[in-house]
Amino acid sequence: MSDDQSSWRACRGVAGPCLFTILLTALALPFGTYIQYVASLCLIAAIVGVAMVLIVGFARVIMLTSGAMMAVGAYGSTILVERLDVPYLLSLIAAAAFGALAGAVVALPASRFRGHYLAMATLVFQFVIIIGLREWSSITGGAAGLSVQNAQLFGHRLTNDGEYLLFIGLAATVAVAILTTLLYGHYGKALRAISATEIGAESFGIHVARHHLFAFVISSAAMGFAGALLAPRVRILDPESFGFASSVFMLAYPVVGGMHSVWGGLLGGAILRALPEALRAGQELQGLIYAILVLSVMTLFPRGLVGAISDLARRTRTPREDRTLAAAKLAATPAGRSVGQSIERPLALEIDDVNVSFGALRAVDHLSLDVRAGTIHGLIGPNGAGKTTLFNAISGFIAIDAGAIRLFGSGLEGEAPRLRIAHGMTRTFQNVALFGPLTCIDNTILGLGRNGIGKSVGASIAQLFATTGDRARRQVALEALAAVGIDHLASREAQSLSLGDQRRLELARAIASQPRLLLLDEPVSGISRDEETGILTLLRRLSVERAITMLVIEHNIHFIRRLCDRVSAIALGRILAQGDPETVISDPQVRSIYFGESALTTHVGPP
Amino acid sequence: MEELPRLLLGGLKIGAVYSLAALGIVVIHKATRTVNFAHGALIMLGAYFGFFLLRLFGLPYALVYLLAPVAVGGLAAGTEWLFLRRLRRSDAFSVVISTIFIGLAATELIRVAYRSDLLSVPQVWNGPPFFIGDFVLTRETLWIIVGALFMAGTGASLFAVARFGRPMRAMAASARGAQLCGYSVNVVYAQAWFLGGTLAGFAGLFLAPVMGITPELADIMIVPAFVAAILGGFDSIKGALLGGVVLGLIETLSAAYLSSASKSALTFLILLAILLWRPRGLFPESKIRDV
């Protein structure tokens, strides 16, 4: 079944990169000491490469402090071993911890910033660490360097290149396995979801800042670990070898290899680390050749070597049948909680005298609105009436200035958007906010909302072992896809779907967590008439079968009339009229303000 | 405390150059939404171009100040036109990454040609210094403070007031809107890189007699240029001008009264503090823009 298949796929995803490091070790072992030495450097670079894929490719932060992170690990471990007689193995773990700590410091601004500000913070951190190492010479040896003794493992001192290679190969395999598990698991998907749409991610419970912080921590830990592995190999640590130039060199690993897959980091790291050894003759030209190589790869193969290889493979291979298609056709009965049509329906959503202002503009003005459980409630009004503002206030993206919003009786004051999914509320977006590069099934799994940082790391590990939790998640997600009728597209990338299917996928993601209230922002804008009818039946069915209360913004009056039980018309942030659809639509005030009938009549006649 | 005026002048001198450097970054970022990590390299090239024209062609300083920055600007615009433009089609993220490697390529090219020799150029003014009371103001210091701040001011008004900057301002306000008004993205982006590059060239030229000319200038200048820009709010022209001066003063004073190493630690702390508590900088633009 598909569950076992997914676990098998997850295992294979991790096994491949591990096999690469093992194979690299095994292939270099029979050769001479020089090759063995270079292979160990390449293995260390492969760890860094995968860590860079995590932070650059998945979290999309331009990391310019990898040299400093390696220095933190290398110096940290060496000082522990030399001064405090800590065993080397223990110092490796300590080095990872030092790296993690340094990563957390750099990531401090990540709580507020993405992108370029973080890149600049990493740049400055890089320079500060190196200057610190140079100046604090009583501990670090300063510019003269710090000599490192051969590593000692369980009383045995490593002396030759072969022994080192074996040990480093083993360590690299472990590190790559851990990083790959995270990257290909739930955590990596959450990261990619964030880079696709932060607002979408936030509204499905992904804590953006914490996920970014963890990306810094884990990748810096890996770099610190790599630095500690490197220390006994270079014999003398000097600050300059971990300088800004080395960070730029390491940034090239994921760029050249391909920053969207673990393989990109492995290949980029291994190849680029071997390159200077191959270019020994033209030492002074190395930097220039390196820069030109990177720029050429960026222009010719924007997705890196791995992207180029997979494009080539795709062109030669015949397209094979979508395997999950068959798997998805399993009994997909929605886990509906049918609700009795009780007459006295409780309130699902209470909006009580709410105000939202942007400067002098009052977008929502003392607005009160009740949505009864089990109903489909329409929200109409001209552009700028405050409909989407109201939605954003309900889902927590905008703070309200006054009033209260209650969901099934409990207040929501000051709760972050990502926490509101726990109250049983989800939403869709006017301009579809899907996680484009992820598959439909992954989009829907993220929609389940168990996306706290701990849970998402846990789920990454669970995926390897096909635990019942992991199985259940996939099953629920498949059911949600089936309920909106796109289960046959489960393994397609979300961005490759038609707009109509994308809107269906947004619905699947929104209903996966079995919400009690669903906010729909223009669910049928921009799609065809046929699709419109399809969505209409779908929404009605979901409302009954899954007992979901819905609040719908839509300009398509025809659609609202057929879909909704009640309608509220708003303009300038205030309620104009409320009641059943026909009454509201025929209300003279609504007709004049929204449909512009009075304007129409005054303009009829000679120009 | 007697040396305080001397320190302040020193801080002002380096601060004026930081202002020029930061302004170039801000101009390019505002108009093209690209953070230019090659800016340090452009500054370094300004110093080298000055050296070429002075020493190899024997041009007088007046002509060098006219030609060298413009040459750097032309190079920057050419890079945008020939290279970044192609890359931008696929992904804005890779454009920023590519500027890092463009900077590396330029620095390495110079290193291959000149090794890491410290080249020098003569001072612009050689006359006797001015005495104000019992403290000395060299002509060179005065020239750098006044000249660099004047050029930064000129650059800022070119962008923010003059007709030359209108398409860039339009692009900064709304790229789509500017396109609809008939401005070509390619041309305006090249213009912005030209202006930013020229400012970087001036920064390098003012710096050359003081710091000497090495490929290291690229790395030395990139951090203060960014920190000065962030200090000012990163998207604020006025902020970049003031941020440079403030950073120059802080650095000089902390190096004198604390230690030279504390200078860089302080730089990082300032950056962290600004990012955490005052993300819009010390001197934000009046208009609130989406982040």
Side-chain angles (χ1 to χ4, degrees), chain A residues 539-586:
Chain A
L539 290 180
R540 279 217 155 278
R541 217 186 64 224
L542 291 176
S543 152
V544 175
E545 283 177 357
R546 297 187 169 230
I548 303 175
T549 313
M550 297 181 190
L551 182 61
V552 192
I553 296 178
E554 188 48 69
H555 282 295
N556 183 335
I557 292 303
H558 188 59
F559 179 76
I560 285 282
R561 181 183 273 151
R562 287 195 290 164
L563 176 70
C564 297
D565 304 311
R566 275 175 74 80
V567 172
S568 301
I570 64 176
L572 296 172
R574 268 172 262 174
I575 298 276
L576 276 185
Q578 284 196 86
D580 62 274
E582 292 308 324
T583 324
V584 172
I585 290 166
S586 55

Side-chain angles (χ1 to χ4, degrees), chain B residues 158-193:
Chain B
L158 266 181
F159 183 90
V161 186
R163 194 167 187 161
F164 175 77
R166 190 186 290 158
M168 291 181 250
R169 294 197 295 275
M171 215 41 99
S174 157
R176 278 195 192 165
Q179 275 173 281
L180 287 173
C181 295
Y183 292 122
S184 143
V185 170
N186 295 337
V187 173
V188 178
Y189 276 27
Q191 256 178 306
W193 276 86

Side-chain angles (χ1 to χ4, degrees), chain A residues 56 60 62 64 108-109 112-113 116-117 120-121 123-125 127-128 131 135 248 251 284 287-288 294 298-299, chain B residues 35 37 83 87 91 93-94 96 100-101 105 108-109 112 223 226 230 234 261 264 268 271-272 275-276 279:
Chain A
V56 181
R60 291 182 88 71
I62 298 175
L64 286 171
L108 269 181
R112 289 180 84 138
F113 289 101
H116 312 323
Y117 282 99
M120 286 180 259
L123 174 75
V124 178
F125 188 79
F127 281 95
V128 171
I131 291 169
E135 298 292 324
V248 173
L251 178 65
E284 67 276 14
L288 189 60
V294 175
M298 287 188 87
T299 351
Chain B
V35 178
F37 280 91
F83 185 73
L87 227 49
D91 187 4
F93 188 63
S94 15
V96 179
I100 297 170
F101 291 98
E108 289 299 325
L109 197 65
V112 168
V223 169
F226 274 135
I230 291 175
F234 210 72
S264 54
F268 185 68
L271 180 83
L272 267 188
L275 286 183
L276 286 175

Side-chain angles (χ1 to χ4, degrees), chain A residues 164-176:
Chain A
Y164 267 114
L165 176 62
L166 266 179
F167 175 66
I168 290 174
L170 184 71
T173 309
V174 172
V176 167

Side-chain angles (χ1 to χ4, degrees), chain A residues 81 86-92 150-159 163-164 166-168 170-171 229 232:
Chain A
V81 172
V86 175
Y88 180 64
L89 267 184
L90 204 62
S91 85
L92 279 181
N150 272 329
Q152 196 169 7
L153 298 171
F154 305 112
H156 172 72
R157 203 167 273 284
L158 298 182
T159 46
E163 285 177 354
Y164 267 114
L166 266 179
F167 175 66
I168 290 174
L170 184 71
L229 281 179

Side-chain angles (χ1 to χ4, degrees), chain A residues 344-593:
Chain A
E344 191 54 34
R345 283 169 162 164
L347 289 177
L349 176 70
E350 293 164 78
I351 296 167
D352 189 4
D353 205 28
V354 162
N355 265 351
V356 178
S357 308
F358 301 116
L361 175 78
R362 189 158 275 187
V364 176
D365 189 4
H366 292 289
L367 190 138
S368 296
L369 179 73
D370 291 338
V371 178
R372 298 221 160 257
T375 60
I376 300 182
H377 195 119
L379 203 56
I380 59 171
N383 290 327
K387 304 182 300 289
T388 299
T389 305
L390 188 63
F391 260 35
N392 284 337
I394 300 172
S395 44
F397 289 107
I398 294 176
I400 55 175
D401 300 321
I405 298 175
R406 280 182 294 274
L407 204 64
F408 300 100
S410 56
L412 290 176
E413 282 95 80
E415 251 183 28
R418 73 193 148 75
L419 298 175
R420 301 195 176 199
I421 190 172
H423 289 280
M425 180 184 70
T426 55
R427 67 172 291 181
T428 66
F429 293 86
Q430 189 174 345
N431 315 305
V432 183
L434 285 169
F435 310 131
L438 297 181
T439 59
C440 293
I441 183 92
D442 286 335
N443 266 276
T444 319
I445 289 176
L446 285 166
L448 288 170
R450 276 162 284 186
N451 295 325
I453 181 75
K455 280 175 185 144
S456 96
V457 170
S460 306
I461 300 162
Q463 217 167 327
L464 282 186
F465 304 106
T467 58
T468 45
D470 180 57
R471 253 176 236 235
R473 271 193 290 277
R474 291 190 74 81
Q475 187 60 35
V476 172
L478 267 177
E479 275 167 9
L481 284 175
V484 302
I486 55 166
D487 44 337
H488 59 289
L489 301 172
S491 58
R492 282 267 297 276
E493 276 181 17
Q495 62 201 6
S496 70
L497 305 186
S498 72
L499 183 60
D501 285 338
Q502 289 193 357
R503 291 212 180 273
R504 280 172 185 270
L505 177 57
E506 265 213 319
L507 275 175
R509 184 180 63 175
I511 61 170
S513 61
Q514 309 254 342
R516 292 184 289 169
L517 175 69
L518 179 57
L519 308 180
L520 299 161
D521 198 349
E522 303 202 17
V524 292
S525 84
I527 65 175
S528 71
R529 266 290 152 91
D530 294 343
E531 277 281 5
E532 184 190 313
T533 313
I535 299 258
L536 182 98
T537 2
L538 175 62
L539 290 180
R540 279 217 155 278
R541 217 186 64 224
L542 291 176
S543 152
V544 175
E545 283 177 357
R546 297 187 169 230
I548 303 175
T549 313
M550 297 181 190
L551 182 61
V552 192
I553 296 178
E554 188 48 69
H555 282 295
N556 183 335
I557 292 303
H558 188 59
F559 179 76
I560 285 282
R561 181 183 273 151
R562 287 195 290 164
L563 176 70
C564 297
D565 304 311
R566 275 175 74 80
V567 172
S568 301
I570 64 176
L572 296 172
R574 268 172 262 174
I575 298 276
L576 276 185
Q578 284 196 86
D580 62 274
E582 292 308 324
T583 324
V584 172
I585 290 166
S586 55
D587 183 280
Q589 221 188 338
V590 173
R591 297 198 79 88
S592 122
I593 290 181

